[in-house]
Amino acid sequence: MKIKLLAAAVAAAVVAPSAMAGENLWLYTKGTDTRPEGSFEFKVSDIWRKGKNSGNYDFHDIRPEIEYGITDKLSLSVEGMIFHHDYRVTDCMGPMIETQGGTCTEDEEGVEDPGPGFKDTQFGGYEIGLKYNVLSPYKDDFGLSLGVGYERRDKYRLDGADIDQDSFTFTTFLQKDFLDDTLVFALNVKTEFERRKSPGVLEEEIAVDASAAVSYRVAPNWFVGLEFRHQSDYLNPEEEGEFDPTLKRSSFDLSDFRIGTQHQNGNYFGPTIHYAQQKWWVTAGALWQVAGGGSWHSFSNNNRNWDEHEKVHIGFIYGYEF
């Protein structure tokens, strides 16, 4: 009996790192693993962003993705973006009022006209990314990977409006494991350089997306965790050729690099749960906005932001390796 238990423990220790390769233990934070050479993984995620400060707001950010291991240290990913909007806000919240046909006027009793609402499912765009593993959390003191990506979007995530957006992203992935990979810590820092056009508006935006998470294996195949996410952007929109003189604009031209005024920020925190089998895995979680704000252009109150951010993000991710 003792020999069988020892063999099982050794087998679990040997397969644990490979079983975790590529799995998402959390909704936003990712580990440093890359795909083994020649292998594929299919993922599909649905992040349900729910609730503004008024009315009804539901947005499903659905992303199918294929990841391929070019080498053991370098992975290529291709991701699509499917946006499903269903909202009707009752405050004059910037572009959402315009998209749903609101007039942003008040009736005789001072009630704002929110418009008929907006409901549509759209193909929002795609992202192509590369991820290179520098250090392994299983062999080195900690794990380190670097990522670079290109995004193309034709629909605005916030309200579903038509846009013309190109973005380049740069991400640092850090991971530290303890207790024979039973306890996992991870930190991601992503910087995004966006150029977004819509009728009469040009936005050059520098966005920061940072997340930190911890997860613990409570039973074979089961992890429970906590995740924190911060997202903010820095810009001064150019509207009809004019900038707001009270704000600083961002620029990432080689001859003119500058970071503008922080337009908005949102901070989220909540639990996650992860279950894995040999070929497939699932992750679910819920993150609530615990703090947020921004410039006077943003729609913020009570230490929360409501134009770019929501009350809660409820997520589900499924992955299959082949």
Side-chain angles (χ1 to χ4, degrees), residues 202-222:
L202 171 63
E203 296 175 292
E204 289 190 317
E205 175 181 312
I206 298 176
V208 176
D209 192 329
S211 60
V214 58
S215 197
Y216 183 72
R217 188 168 66 227
V218 295
N221 305 326
W222 287 94

Side-chain angles (χ1 to χ4, degrees), residues 131-260:
K131 183 179 181 182
Y132 181 75
N133 179 239
V134 180
L135 298 173
S136 168
Y138 318 114
K139 301 176 182 178
D140 302 302
D141 292 335
F142 62 92
L144 169 65
S145 290
L146 302 175
V148 60
Y150 167 74
E151 288 186 8
R152 172 64 192 180
R153 298 195 189 192
D154 300 305
K155 298 293 181 181
Y156 196 16
R157 176 200 65 80
L158 175 64
D159 64 342
D162 293 332
I163 59 171
D164 179 358
Q165 177 177 316
D166 296 286
S167 306
F168 292 93
T169 62
F170 301 89
T171 308
T172 299
F173 305 88
L174 293 168
Q175 180 178 330
K176 178 66 177 177
D177 292 9
F178 297 93
L179 305 175
D180 294 327
D181 307 313
T182 300
L183 182 63
V184 183
F185 290 87
L187 172 68
N188 296 172
V189 179
K190 176 181 177 181
T191 305
E192 186 170 2
F193 301 91
E194 304 176 6
R195 181 170 280 114
R196 180 167 53 247
K197 300 176 183 177
S198 55
V201 179
L202 171 63
E203 296 175 292
E204 289 190 317
E205 175 181 312
I206 298 176
V208 176
D209 192 329
S211 60
V214 58
S215 197
Y216 183 72
R217 188 168 66 227
V218 295
N221 305 326
W222 287 94
F223 279 84
V224 295
L226 291 171
E227 183 173 22
F228 170 82
R229 180 186 183 232
H230 165 87
Q231 196 280 328
S232 58
D233 57 37
Y234 300 80
L235 73 158
N236 181 0
E238 181 182 349
E239 300 184 21
E240 304 298 340
E242 299 290 336
F243 290 98
D244 185 333
T246 66
L247 303 178
K248 296 184 295 183
R249 70 182 184 90
S250 292
S251 175
F252 39 88
D253 294 334
L254 294 179
S255 60
D256 182 23
F257 183 87
R258 65 179 79 177
I259 299 176

Side-chain angles (χ1 to χ4, degrees), residues 10-313:
V10 171
V14 170
V15 303
S18 60
M20 290 172 56
E23 295 177 16
N24 290 45
L25 297 179
W26 309 278
L27 296 187
Y28 291 102
T29 313
K30 297 181 180 180
T32 57
D33 292 332
T34 50
R35 297 296 312 155
E37 181 176 352
S39 69
F40 289 88
E41 182 176 51
F42 170 75
K43 302 178 189 177
V44 60
S45 65
D46 180 3
I47 306 296
W48 177 19
R49 305 186 182 198
K50 183 173 179 62
K52 297 288 186 180
N53 194 44
S54 66
N56 299 299
Y57 183 86
D58 291 282
F59 167 58
H60 287 265
D61 188 352
I62 304 168
R63 304 201 178 195
E65 176 186 350
I66 287 287
E67 186 175 355
Y68 173 71
I70 299 175
T71 71
D72 288 341
K73 286 184 169 290
L74 180 63
S75 292
L76 169 69
S77 62
V78 179
E79 178 182 77
M81 303 178 190
I82 300 171
F83 297 159
H84 175 73
H85 286 94
D86 185 2
Y87 65 82
R88 184 176 186 266
V89 296
T90 55
D91 285 326
C92 297
M93 298 174 65
M96 281 180 286
I97 282 287
E98 299 169 8
T99 305
Q100 65 177 327
T103 59
C104 208
T105 59
E106 296 181 353
D107 62 17
E108 295 179 355
E109 297 179 355
V111 178
E112 294 173 340
D113 175 15
F118 182 81
K119 184 175 183 179
D120 197 11
T121 300
Q122 310 161 320
F123 180 75
Y126 62 88
E127 179 178 5
I128 301 172
L130 290 170
K131 183 179 181 182
Y132 181 75
N133 179 239
V134 180
L135 298 173
S136 168
Y138 318 114
K139 301 176 182 178
D140 302 302
D141 292 335
F142 62 92
L144 169 65
S145 290
L146 302 175
V148 60
Y150 167 74
E151 288 186 8
R152 172 64 192 180
R153 298 195 189 192
D154 300 305
K155 298 293 181 181
Y156 196 16
R157 176 200 65 80
L158 175 64
D159 64 342
D162 293 332
I163 59 171
D164 179 358
Q165 177 177 316
D166 296 286
S167 306
F168 292 93
T169 62
F170 301 89
T171 308
T172 299
F173 305 88
L174 293 168
Q175 180 178 330
K176 178 66 177 177
D177 292 9
F178 297 93
L179 305 175
D180 294 327
D181 307 313
T182 300
L183 182 63
V184 183
F185 290 87
L187 172 68
N188 296 172
V189 179
K190 176 181 177 181
T191 305
E192 186 170 2
F193 301 91
E194 304 176 6
R195 181 170 280 114
R196 180 167 53 247
K197 300 176 183 177
S198 55
V201 179
L202 171 63
E203 296 175 292
E204 289 190 317
E205 175 181 312
I206 298 176
V208 176
D209 192 329
S211 60
V214 58
S215 197
Y216 183 72
R217 188 168 66 227
V218 295
N221 305 326
W222 287 94
F223 279 84
V224 295
L226 291 171
E227 183 173 22
F228 170 82
R229 180 186 183 232
H230 165 87
Q231 196 280 328
S232 58
D233 57 37
Y234 300 80
L235 73 158
N236 181 0
E238 181 182 349
E239 300 184 21
E240 304 298 340
E242 299 290 336
F243 290 98
D244 185 333
T246 66
L247 303 178
K248 296 184 295 183
R249 70 182 184 90
S250 292
S251 175
F252 39 88
D253 294 334
L254 294 179
S255 60
D256 182 23
F257 183 87
R258 65 179 79 177
I259 299 176
T261 300
Q262 185 185 76
H263 169 63
Q264 59 76 27
N265 70 85
N267 300 279
Y268 297 82
F269 182 75
T272 60
I273 186 168
H274 174 82
Y275 176 78
Q277 284 290 342
Q278 183 176 4
K279 289 291 186 180
W280 61 271
W281 52 266
V282 292
T283 298
L287 305 183
W288 282 265
Q289 186 183 173
V290 295
S295 73
W296 69 268
H297 278 279
S298 71
F299 192 90
S300 303
N301 57 37
N302 298 322
N303 196 32
R304 301 289 191 278
N305 178 269
W306 301 117
D307 48 4
E308 294 281 345
H309 296 282
E310 299 78 28
K311 291 182 179 179
V312 61
H313 292 186

